[in-house]
Amino acid sequence: MASNDDQKTLVFYCEHLLFNMLQFYTQESEQLKFDGHVLHLASHVHPSKLARVDNRQLPCRLLKNKSTSSVLMKCGTDSVSLFSVSPAAERLRHILGEDDNTPTPTIFTEMDTLQNEGGEIEWKESARWVKFEEKVEEGGERWSKPHVSTLTLHSLFELRTCLQTGSILLDLEGYSLPQIVDEIVDRQIADGLIPPDLKEKISFVLLRKHRHQTKKPIHRSLADIGKSSSAASSEFVRQAQSRSMNDISDTPSTDQLKNKFMKKIPRDAEASNVLVGEVDFLDKPFVSFVRLAQATTLGGLTEVPVPTRFLFILLGPQGKTKSYNEIGRAIATLMVDDLFSDVAYKARDREDLIAGVDEFLDEVIVLPPGEWDPKIRIEPPKKVPSAEMRKSVLNLNELGQMNGSAGGAAGGEDTEFPAPHELGEELKFTGRFAGGLWLDIKRKAPWICSDIYDGFHIQSISAVVFIYLGCITNAITFGGLLGDATDNYQGVMESFLGTALAGTVFCAFSGQPLIILSSTGPILIFEKLLYEFSKSNGIDYMELRLWIGIHSCLQCFLLVVTDASYIIKYMTRFTEEGFSSLISFIFISDAIKKMDTYHKITPVCSSQPDYITSYKCECIAPDQGESANPFLYFLYFNLTDMDWSQLSKKECVNYGGTLVGNSCKYVPDLALMSFILFFGTYSMTVSLKKFKFSRYFPTTLRKLISDFAIFMSIMSFVGLDMLMGLDTPKLIVPTEVKPTRPDRGWLVMPFGKNPWWWYVASFVPALLVTILIFMDQQISAVIVNRKENKLKKGCGYHLDLFWVGVLMAACSFMGLPWYVAATVISIAHIDSLKMESESSAPGEQPQFLGVREQRLTGIMVFVLTGLSVFLAPVLQYIPMPVLYGVFLYMGVASLSGIQFWERIKLYLMPPKHQPDFSFLRHVPLRRVHLFTLVQIVCLAVLWILKSTFLAIIFPVMILGLMVVRKLLDLMFSQHDLAWLDDILPDKDKKTKEDDKKKKRNKKAAEPESDEEVRKMLTKF
Amino acid sequence: MASNDDQKTLVFYCEHLLFNMLQFYTQESEQLKFDGHVLHLASHVHPSKLARVDNRQLPCRLLKNKSTSSVLMKCGTDSVSLFSVSPAAERLRHILGEDDNTPTPTIFTEMDTLQNEGGEIEWKESARWVKFEEKVEEGGERWSKPHVSTLTLHSLFELRTCLQTGSILLDLEGYSLPQIVDEIVDRQIADGLIPPDLKEKISFVLLRKHRHQTKKPIHRSLADIGKSSSAASSEFVRQAQSRSMNDISDTPSTDQLKNKFMKKIPRDAEASNVLVGEVDFLDKPFVSFVRLAQATTLGGLTEVPVPTRFLFILLGPQGKTKSYNEIGRAIATLMVDDLFSDVAYKARDREDLIAGVDEFLDEVIVLPPGEWDPKIRIEPPKKVPSAEMRKSVLNLNELGQMNGSAGGAAGGEDTEFPAPHELGEELKFTGRFAGGLWLDIKRKAPWICSDIYDGFHIQSISAVVFIYLGCITNAITFGGLLGDATDNYQGVMESFLGTALAGTVFCAFSGQPLIILSSTGPILIFEKLLYEFSKSNGIDYMELRLWIGIHSCLQCFLLVVTDASYIIKYMTRFTEEGFSSLISFIFISDAIKKMDTYHKITPVCSSQPDYITSYKCECIAPDQGESANPFLYFLYFNLTDMDWSQLSKKECVNYGGTLVGNSCKYVPDLALMSFILFFGTYSMTVSLKKFKFSRYFPTTLRKLISDFAIFMSIMSFVGLDMLMGLDTPKLIVPTEVKPTRPDRGWLVMPFGKNPWWWYVASFVPALLVTILIFMDQQISAVIVNRKENKLKKGCGYHLDLFWVGVLMAACSFMGLPWYVAATVISIAHIDSLKMESESSAPGEQPQFLGVREQRLTGIMVFVLTGLSVFLAPVLQYIPMPVLYGVFLYMGVASLSGIQFWERIKLYLMPPKHQPDFSFLRHVPLRRVHLFTLVQIVCLAVLWILKSTFLAIIFPVMILGLMVVRKLLDLMFSQHDLAWLDDILPDKDKKTKEDDKKKKRNKKAAEPESDEEVRKMLTKF
């Protein structure tokens, strides 16, 4: 049946497929022709040999070696073997290379099978493909989950034969299904493939109604099921007489138009319809592959109103439904294959299509039958190789080589070095005055508008609520601590206002508005030491602080104009992780410490309930003579009949009474309740965040629940707290805008209180503050700007530092605390703004697209913080333990993304259970453990230092980390460090050289440059 | 290079593989020969046609149709096509069918590649296979996780060529590697495949040292890595001169012997060694496949001291390492394939091996390149198709058919009906007097000894602790409730002794010793009603109860001797699930209700801590005149100076004082503490149980933690409780053996207290008790004996009922509560005794092997329960909330295995996220939901009834469930019910008939009986 030409190609193909032992193609694309086939230089040919051939200019003969199908090039006594490339690849390179600039549409494939439902013949949708296969579950009347189409080698070879023997109609002008069917059948008759008297029967079958999965099925009884799969009976003719020839309407039905599945199909998609079925009037299969000249909507043919471009029809004799279905699945899978669909669009003839199948066969991955159960539906992988890569491989003619390496599959070797760590051009040293700052402004300016309107999204609300709560908790905590440390020179009020002011300004104008400013531990410690120093030396604290602020601001400006931030480049993952885990641990330990405090303040009453009678706390009236307070004295006499026992604890103490009794020191229930609130908030947040990955509820709802997890947990436990009515410690927000300490105003005067030389001397402590701020700010910025976050709008280290400097000065003048980037809250901010792709082909994993980069959420958070003074009536219901639960969550969540943390977990896992981290594939476990141990030791040292007064030199300690990292270069090979950490910038070059050298070593057998070989080959 | 014969086979193979469009083989194995190939009847041949051919007895001609490679059998004007089966399958059927009774050993495959490490050539292990592939992570110096070997089609075809062109040495007599290498090289030289002068070089390379992954690697610097993959250089000869020819010792090294991996390899295993590498002195590949006559340990060749049976050697010219590796992986994967390894053992010549490869190729599953990333390592599946099935397919010659259906792969159709529900022969109606009981005894007798010694296992300890705690908690709870209901005629003491007695006897002698007896809710309600009845009618409760017990016992005996238990057969999953979920819900609600009670008894003090001064509880001395108690009166006067306020709450009440104060009703902290203990125990148990599936710690430790989860949680929270020192309600165990009510003895007399006619009339209430006991006992037994539990020692429904009857009478005589099987605790018992396979090939999932069936744990539990009276000092530290936490866990855990529960969850899941349950593939979702809804309604009705006095007819309600199930036959098709439930026994036949009919319909094309066809075919 196949033409003689087909046969020839086929035999050749066979030879190629079966005899191509040791055929490897060179990377050169120069063509040599022999016996009609293009020949390529075998890659194992030693260049030295080639060179010799080239130099001698001997007459060469080409000899075909039958046993190996290679071609021997004999030049004198030397010989070089050449191999023929498969004609399939050759063809594909030709047709795909033609006009690569017009991208082909995405193909949606629907497979319909012929069903005989109660004597009525119809086409029933049985599977569909956008990228992965979805099958109609026959009994379940539902779509299966999208899965990878597992095919049999058998069905692929059968399909190949189908394409060889069937009729191929390319660029058929078609406007309606009946006309197309006519053309197909006529062509088959013309080719002598079917007798003319079958025309009516075949047309009748092909024009039957198509039932799609969307249609409500008729209820079928058990008895019906038996019939469903029997073949279309010989009632054909009778039916044909009694009913219209064509069941299919020309226009799409409402079912089609309403189909929600349309959302999942890309807009430019075209359909390919696969129709397979068995009929009893055929002796041999009727196969037709049609490509329409124009994609046309063919009435009710397709489930969705997508225009049809391709049609594959397979009708065959009875008894082989399964085999037909498999062939249908094979062509459908091919049609959605990126490479084959390109071929299908551009094929000029039958051979091109067959070349496409061959190429597909060459790339398939094979699972051994004994190691895999074919019944398992394979879930779509997270990532598939891109079509571009596969095509480029073809174009570069690295085919043979690549096939070999695709085989590397599970066993393949990965690259020796990971992708290098990139910090982007933001940190390049410009060498010009304020060059970095200028670039930062230039980089950020185009985004001004989008920085605002990108913020209008439902997700922003949850982000604002989450970060707002984090911010005010922080403000209250640090405000309280600062108040304690500075005798209320800076208290909760100052903390609120300062946070609001600094945050708003920074979010509005900075280079990276996703960074959240906050008071931080080191600054707190500095203020504490400074206040103690000025108090003991009789120096005015506020004025001294102002001058430090001014100096520090100027120093920051100096760092900005000199592009000093570029040294951050030297900070590798080691330093970054050390810093951020330390901050996370501080968060966690602070939250737990706070809870412990509550436990101490409100001890659990360990009394026996039976002895409750002996527990009391009474207010005893003070001895009259001892009462020195005349007001109280008067009150006492005025209220001689006053029942002291009716006074509350506070009143009793106020009026000078004494609390006597063994229950005075106990506060029942509060400690346990606080624990329940604290732990409950934490666990509920964790569970709700995880809920996104559960199977329940639609994705949107789950995402919403996960986004609002913290808000919902807070609300729930505030509710529980109110329900229990216990006097748990609540959030206390100042309600009036006035300085915490009555003897200070809102503006600090720079002169007058301290001797003049202090104005100069404050340069020294300012230097410490500057280092502290610089390190804290820029490390947080590096963490926020990590490549994993896929930020698109760029960042501005210099611009950020500039604004931090400005705010330093401003806050100093107003006597507000100093602010710097807070790592944990900034990470939480980014996490709450993450975007994922929504509509994608069924089974494709949603891709992390990036972060909603905008200034709106940040500004909102800080405006709200400022307004919190007026929100006090609402906020006062929030118990502090709930907020500490949120803190604990933040700390733990920010740990989870850190590789260091993953490596710590490895200590507890036996090697065989360890996850398949790429660094574990390349670095011996003991080296990994050693590296982790170094980090743990560093962190422990930092932790200990942090707990002492040395905390003030915290930023210097981070510099210390960088030194440790430098020393690691001596302990670990650059190869190991490249996987576990990043290579330091100056080592970068060296490694690349190493890399090159290695490559040279490895591929010594390959010709040095393309040019040479081309020259050489053109001589033949 | 290949002989002419090879060529011919190959061409034929090609035709088969590429032209076999529509080749399907009949299921008959009669052979027709044509043109040297065996022909088979095409399955799509219509039987009517065959029949006609048969009847007419026309002379027939066989014609070969070139285009389809089919053979046409022309008989007059009719023609029937016949198809040739592939010679590969033919060959395999022949060699594998020969002696199927000798199982071939398991094969362990090791692949070593040639490395040139610093100028020194050695073989380095690069991967190994037991069943799945484990690769050496080059950089990581570790084994990868076991994964499915994904191969390329390319490498398989190349391997096929290798086997065709290389030398095949079968049954070589080999005793040492040098001798074997000699033979191989000599053969190659003899065959003219290599020139004789290469002998020394090849032998030298093949005898280099083998470095296995177990050896501690030398620390390698970055520079070294570059060299590692470069080919063995031309230093060969120099090296050969300077060093010994043979690096390999004859005896296994200590490294080999010590290798722990040996545990993972089956005892009977033999090794297959794959050696691949590139050398610069060869022009074409050197391939050799060797099968030794006897498996021999070849020194340090293999990682483990497993004797080598197969050797595959591939040395080739430089530049194609990747390709060689892929070919090596392909042969290694084939060697561990069950089918191919059989072929390898039994192959008679080269062609047999090639047929094996072809057969393998025919079965492979193909993944499309665009839908799968070849870099992903596929985790081993939970189940793989068994080798037996694959072989039997071959033997039955259903090859073609099966290939088609294996293609069904992901899209394949499953069977229309699930495997039918089997209840086993235990419930067959024997029709003889006590026939069932006799069979039960006969069935259990052989296990008497193993029932004891199977109990000696560490797991038993945890099971005993777990079940013991459950039992005493149950005993205390029901004891307390019974005491309340019967004015202490039966109290905690009776409950303990009764549980111990009944449990020990039942576990020692019953048919199913895994069942745990306990008091149950319905019995409690019955006793309550009975006591109220006798009290109000002046009848002696104990005597009446004794007679009811006696009657009930006799009725049980009647049920036993009539094999009445067989009606349990009519209970389908619907009834079973309804019953067990109801019991689980009762467990859960009881646990929560109890906690709520604590909350009510010990309310949380919602006071403001500030007003603590106003809270007190004082003991006020009674008014003197009111004191009617002369003793107290005396005491009062005697202790006029007694400080009433020093008295405890209890003392105060005892002495007639009055508690005055607003804090008297509060018990601080206790409610919250109880909640923490309750919820903490539950959550910790759940987490620890789940810990088995985490990645941390070795498997054994994790299993231990999971087994002892309940014990550890109880211990932890008992510890916490002791630490807090709060007076939480504790477990109260009686410490003296005496009846709870002083006025009753340990024996109840049958006569004397009630009128004689009560002795007869008690027959009626006894009937209710009997139904109750029968249903409760047998449903629990059915649940325990579920097929999923893989019980091997059989069960004994009749024997169980017999002993329950005996214990009824015994307990009645002693005035102890009645006992019957408790579902939830019995399930917990089984769960805690589950066994999983331990040593299996890496990557293979541990299989659930069954339950440690024995009598020891049960007996221990109940002996301990009896001894608990003496354990009181220890047990009294256990707070009740902890035990209720355990109860909650038991209830929730027993729900988790129920399909009904899974179906309820489906309500909350959008279809696309629903798990791939097989019933969802076959039954429309709305039918599933409807079925679930019916179950929910039934349960709700049962729940409401249970809460009223109707609880006493609980067993009748279960009968009601069976009626509802019967009615479901009208609502649902048998097909749907078969998937969601089981088919009722009488419907079973009908369905099978339906099934048959369907098959007939479907395979109408197939001949009616084998006999006929055989007759017909032999006529040719």
Side-chain angles (χ1 to χ4, degrees), chain B residues 137-151:
Chain B
E137 307 278 21
E138 212 34 75
E141 291 171 11
R142 52 146 68 197
W143 287 107
S144 75
K145 278 197 195 185
H147 53 266
V148 175
S149 312
T150 42
L151 305 172

PDB file of all heavy atoms in Angstrom, chain B residues 137-151:
ATOM      1  N   GLU B 137      26.287   9.227  43.337  1.00  0.00           N
ATOM      2  CA  GLU B 137      26.338  10.667  43.086  1.00  0.00           C
ATOM      3  C   GLU B 137      27.807  11.044  43.067  1.00  0.00           C
ATOM      4  O   GLU B 137      28.457  11.054  44.105  1.00  0.00           O
ATOM      5  CB  GLU B 137      25.615  11.445  44.195  1.00  0.00           C
ATOM      6  CG  GLU B 137      24.207  10.993  44.467  1.00  0.00           C
ATOM      7  CD  GLU B 137      23.207  11.575  43.509  1.00  0.00           C
ATOM      8  OE1 GLU B 137      23.617  11.996  42.408  1.00  0.00           O
ATOM      9  OE2 GLU B 137      22.015  11.581  43.838  1.00  0.00           O
ATOM     10  N   GLU B 138      28.288  11.358  41.905  1.00  0.00           N
ATOM     11  CA  GLU B 138      29.717  11.550  41.715  1.00  0.00           C
ATOM     12  C   GLU B 138      30.286  12.526  42.748  1.00  0.00           C
ATOM     13  O   GLU B 138      31.188  12.203  43.501  1.00  0.00           O
ATOM     14  CB  GLU B 138      29.964  12.064  40.284  1.00  0.00           C
ATOM     15  CG  GLU B 138      31.255  11.619  39.673  1.00  0.00           C
ATOM     16  CD  GLU B 138      31.687  10.232  40.100  1.00  0.00           C
ATOM     17  OE1 GLU B 138      31.127   9.224  39.640  1.00  0.00           O
ATOM     18  OE2 GLU B 138      32.617  10.162  40.906  1.00  0.00           O
ATOM     19  N   GLY B 139      29.713  13.710  42.794  1.00  0.00           N
ATOM     20  CA  GLY B 139      30.240  14.724  43.705  1.00  0.00           C
ATOM     21  C   GLY B 139      29.875  14.424  45.146  1.00  0.00           C
ATOM     22  O   GLY B 139      30.663  14.618  46.060  1.00  0.00           O
ATOM     23  N   GLY B 140      28.653  13.947  45.333  1.00  0.00           N
ATOM     24  CA  GLY B 140      28.155  13.740  46.684  1.00  0.00           C
ATOM     25  C   GLY B 140      28.738  12.516  47.354  1.00  0.00           C
ATOM     26  O   GLY B 140      28.583  12.313  48.541  1.00  0.00           O
ATOM     27  N   GLU B 141      29.447  11.667  46.573  1.00  0.00           N
ATOM     28  CA  GLU B 141      30.029  10.446  47.112  1.00  0.00           C
ATOM     29  C   GLU B 141      29.022   9.671  47.923  1.00  0.00           C
ATOM     30  O   GLU B 141      29.300   9.222  49.024  1.00  0.00           O
ATOM     31  CB  GLU B 141      31.265  10.767  47.973  1.00  0.00           C
ATOM     32  CG  GLU B 141      32.430  11.275  47.147  1.00  0.00           C
ATOM     33  CD  GLU B 141      33.555  11.799  48.011  1.00  0.00           C
ATOM     34  OE1 GLU B 141      33.505  11.583  49.228  1.00  0.00           O
ATOM     35  OE2 GLU B 141      34.470  12.433  47.464  1.00  0.00           O
ATOM     36  N   ARG B 142      27.829   9.528  47.393  1.00  0.00           N
ATOM     37  CA  ARG B 142      26.785   8.812  48.112  1.00  0.00           C
ATOM     38  C   ARG B 142      25.897   8.130  47.093  1.00  0.00           C
ATOM     39  O   ARG B 142      25.985   8.384  45.905  1.00  0.00           O
ATOM     40  CB  ARG B 142      25.961   9.804  48.921  1.00  0.00           C
ATOM     41  CG  ARG B 142      25.464  10.968  48.043  1.00  0.00           C
ATOM     42  CD  ARG B 142      24.141  11.454  48.461  1.00  0.00           C
ATOM     43  NE  ARG B 142      24.176  12.103  49.739  1.00  0.00           N
ATOM     44  CZ  ARG B 142      23.099  12.322  50.463  1.00  0.00           C
ATOM     45  NH1 ARG B 142      21.921  11.924  50.028  1.00  0.00           N
ATOM     46  NH2 ARG B 142      23.163  12.949  51.598  1.00  0.00           N
ATOM     47  N   TRP B 143      25.043   7.276  47.595  1.00  0.00           N
ATOM     48  CA  TRP B 143      24.077   6.624  46.729  1.00  0.00           C
ATOM     49  C   TRP B 143      22.897   7.545  46.539  1.00  0.00           C
ATOM     50  O   TRP B 143      22.432   8.171  47.479  1.00  0.00           O
ATOM     51  CB  TRP B 143      23.609   5.307  47.334  1.00  0.00           C
ATOM     52  CG  TRP B 143      24.663   4.258  47.258  1.00  0.00           C
ATOM     53  CD1 TRP B 143      25.409   3.779  48.288  1.00  0.00           C
ATOM     54  CD2 TRP B 143      25.100   3.586  46.077  1.00  0.00           C
ATOM     55  NE1 TRP B 143      26.286   2.838  47.818  1.00  0.00           N
ATOM     56  CE2 TRP B 143      26.122   2.693  46.466  1.00  0.00           C
ATOM     57  CE3 TRP B 143      24.732   3.642  44.737  1.00  0.00           C
ATOM     58  CZ2 TRP B 143      26.782   1.873  45.574  1.00  0.00           C
ATOM     59  CZ3 TRP B 143      25.372   2.825  43.834  1.00  0.00           C
ATOM     60  CH2 TRP B 143      26.402   1.945  44.252  1.00  0.00           C
ATOM     61  N   SER B 144      22.396   7.606  45.327  1.00  0.00           N
ATOM     62  CA  SER B 144      21.167   8.346  45.100  1.00  0.00           C
ATOM     63  C   SER B 144      20.031   7.525  45.692  1.00  0.00           C
ATOM     64  O   SER B 144      20.199   6.394  46.092  1.00  0.00           O
ATOM     65  CB  SER B 144      20.928   8.519  43.614  1.00  0.00           C
ATOM     66  OG  SER B 144      20.486   7.306  43.061  1.00  0.00           O
ATOM     67  N   LYS B 145      18.858   8.145  45.769  1.00  0.00           N
ATOM     68  CA  LYS B 145      17.691   7.365  46.170  1.00  0.00           C
ATOM     69  C   LYS B 145      17.383   6.359  45.078  1.00  0.00           C
ATOM     70  O   LYS B 145      17.609   6.626  43.903  1.00  0.00           O
ATOM     71  CB  LYS B 145      16.497   8.293  46.304  1.00  0.00           C
ATOM     72  CG  LYS B 145      16.468   9.009  47.603  1.00  0.00           C
ATOM     73  CD  LYS B 145      15.091   9.564  47.829  1.00  0.00           C
ATOM     74  CE  LYS B 145      15.141  10.567  48.928  1.00  0.00           C
ATOM     75  NZ  LYS B 145      13.832  11.043  49.275  1.00  0.00           N
ATOM     76  N   PRO B 146      16.832   5.216  45.457  1.00  0.00           N
ATOM     77  CA  PRO B 146      16.437   4.265  44.415  1.00  0.00           C
ATOM     78  C   PRO B 146      15.372   4.894  43.512  1.00  0.00           C
ATOM     79  O   PRO B 146      14.478   5.589  43.993  1.00  0.00           O
ATOM     80  CB  PRO B 146      15.845   3.087  45.195  1.00  0.00           C
ATOM     81  CG  PRO B 146      15.930   3.416  46.617  1.00  0.00           C
ATOM     82  CD  PRO B 146      16.546   4.742  46.798  1.00  0.00           C
ATOM     83  N   HIS B 147      15.516   4.706  42.238  1.00  0.00           N
ATOM     84  CA  HIS B 147      14.527   5.263  41.326  1.00  0.00           C
ATOM     85  C   HIS B 147      14.311   4.331  40.145  1.00  0.00           C
ATOM     86  O   HIS B 147      15.103   3.424  39.895  1.00  0.00           O
ATOM     87  CB  HIS B 147      14.960   6.655  40.861  1.00  0.00           C
ATOM     88  CG  HIS B 147      16.337   6.721  40.290  1.00  0.00           C
ATOM     89  ND1 HIS B 147      17.441   7.044  41.051  1.00  0.00           N
ATOM     90  CD2 HIS B 147      16.795   6.489  39.058  1.00  0.00           C
ATOM     91  CE1 HIS B 147      18.517   7.014  40.292  1.00  0.00           C
ATOM     92  NE2 HIS B 147      18.162   6.667  39.080  1.00  0.00           N
ATOM     93  N   VAL B 148      13.238   4.583  39.424  1.00  0.00           N
ATOM     94  CA  VAL B 148      12.938   3.798  38.232  1.00  0.00           C
ATOM     95  C   VAL B 148      13.975   4.170  37.171  1.00  0.00           C
ATOM     96  O   VAL B 148      14.267   5.353  36.975  1.00  0.00           O
ATOM     97  CB  VAL B 148      11.517   4.130  37.733  1.00  0.00           C
ATOM     98  CG1 VAL B 148      11.223   3.419  36.433  1.00  0.00           C
ATOM     99  CG2 VAL B 148      10.485   3.765  38.788  1.00  0.00           C
ATOM    100  N   SER B 149      14.544   3.173  36.509  1.00  0.00           N
ATOM    101  CA  SER B 149      15.542   3.472  35.473  1.00  0.00           C
ATOM    102  C   SER B 149      14.835   3.976  34.229  1.00  0.00           C
ATOM    103  O   SER B 149      14.168   3.214  33.541  1.00  0.00           O
ATOM    104  CB  SER B 149      16.313   2.213  35.081  1.00  0.00           C
ATOM    105  OG  SER B 149      16.755   1.527  36.203  1.00  0.00           O
ATOM    106  N   THR B 150      14.975   5.244  33.960  1.00  0.00           N
ATOM    107  CA  THR B 150      14.416   5.755  32.714  1.00  0.00           C
ATOM    108  C   THR B 150      15.484   5.630  31.640  1.00  0.00           C
ATOM    109  O   THR B 150      16.588   6.125  31.795  1.00  0.00           O
ATOM    110  CB  THR B 150      14.012   7.228  32.856  1.00  0.00           C
ATOM    111  OG1 THR B 150      15.024   7.906  33.583  1.00  0.00           O
ATOM    112  CG2 THR B 150      12.708   7.366  33.592  1.00  0.00           C
ATOM    113  N   LEU B 151      15.142   4.944  30.570  1.00  0.00           N
ATOM    114  CA  LEU B 151      16.105   4.691  29.505  1.00  0.00           C
ATOM    115  C   LEU B 151      15.696   5.466  28.263  1.00  0.00           C
ATOM    116  O   LEU B 151      14.587   5.971  28.171  1.00  0.00           O
ATOM    117  CB  LEU B 151      16.123   3.200  29.175  1.00  0.00           C
ATOM    118  CG  LEU B 151      16.383   2.253  30.344  1.00  0.00           C
ATOM    119  CD1 LEU B 151      16.188   0.821  29.909  1.00  0.00           C
ATOM    120  CD2 LEU B 151      17.792   2.461  30.872  1.00  0.00           C
TER     121      LEU B 151
END
